[in-house]
Amino acid sequence: QVQLVESGGGLVQAGGSLRLSCAASGRTFSSYVMGWFRQAPGKEREFVAAIKPTFVRSSGNAYYADSVKGRFTVSRDNAKNTVYLQMNSLKPEDTAVYYCAAGPDYGTELHNYRYWGQGTQVTVSS
């Protein structure tokens, strides 16, 4: 079993930055692909970023949705069982509940991930 808890959400102005954290339980964290998804009001949950398993403090191999490339950075610290999402140059359209997810293989679809956190709200004002 893997338990995921997101934190770091909040209210920021457009152009600002925010860093989300996802703390995972268990000793198998390093073997999972960790993904970030978001869901805006009235929209489907969508892929944001993912990072492949690593065993040292490293950003690893990261992948991003086109909408966030160049602005968001995903990284992981296996020693702390934590994955991060650094969000810069935030836009109002980034407003959503952000979810951390874990799965056995890389993917950009919801079904690629087995475990999910409860989400953290990110609101970007104009």
Side-chain angles (χ1 to χ4, degrees), residues 39-124:
Q39 187 166 22
K43 296 185 177 181
E44 297 181 353
R45 192 171 298 185
E46 65 177 355
F47 172 78
V48 175
I51 186 167
K52 291 184 176 181
T54 57
F55 297 91
V56 297
R57 185 180 234 167
S58 173
S59 60
N61 293 318
Y63 305 87
Y64 303 93
D66 289 340
S67 60
V68 305
K69 284 182 179 178
R71 300 189 298 120
F72 290 12
T73 302
V74 63
S75 62
R76 66 194 299 163
D77 185 344
N78 291 322
K80 297 181 178 179
N81 283 358
T82 302
V83 62
Y84 305 95
L85 185 68
Q86 178 67 46
M87 305 184 294
N88 299 324
S89 301
L90 284 163
K91 305 174 181 179
E93 50 263 46
D94 294 319
T95 295
V97 176
Y98 283 71
Y99 297 90
C100 177
D105 300 291
Y106 169 76
T108 60
E109 304 293 333
L110 272 63
H111 67 260
N112 295 132
Y113 297 86
R114 295 181 179 179
Y115 306 101
W116 294 83
Q118 295 301 306
T120 185
Q121 177 70 48
V122 172
T123 302
V124 184

Side-chain angles (χ1 to χ4, degrees), residues 6-54:
E6 303 96 335
S7 63
L11 174 64
V12 298
Q13 293 185 342
S17 298
L18 203 61
R19 187 179 189 178
L20 306 183
S21 298
C22 175
S25 66
R27 293 185 290 274
T28 61
F29 169 79
S30 62
S31 69
Y32 284 99
V33 173
M34 300 299 298
W36 286 98
F37 289 76
R38 66 187 183 186
Q39 187 166 22
K43 296 185 177 181
E44 297 181 353
R45 192 171 298 185
E46 65 177 355
F47 172 78
V48 175
I51 186 167
K52 291 184 176 181
T54 57

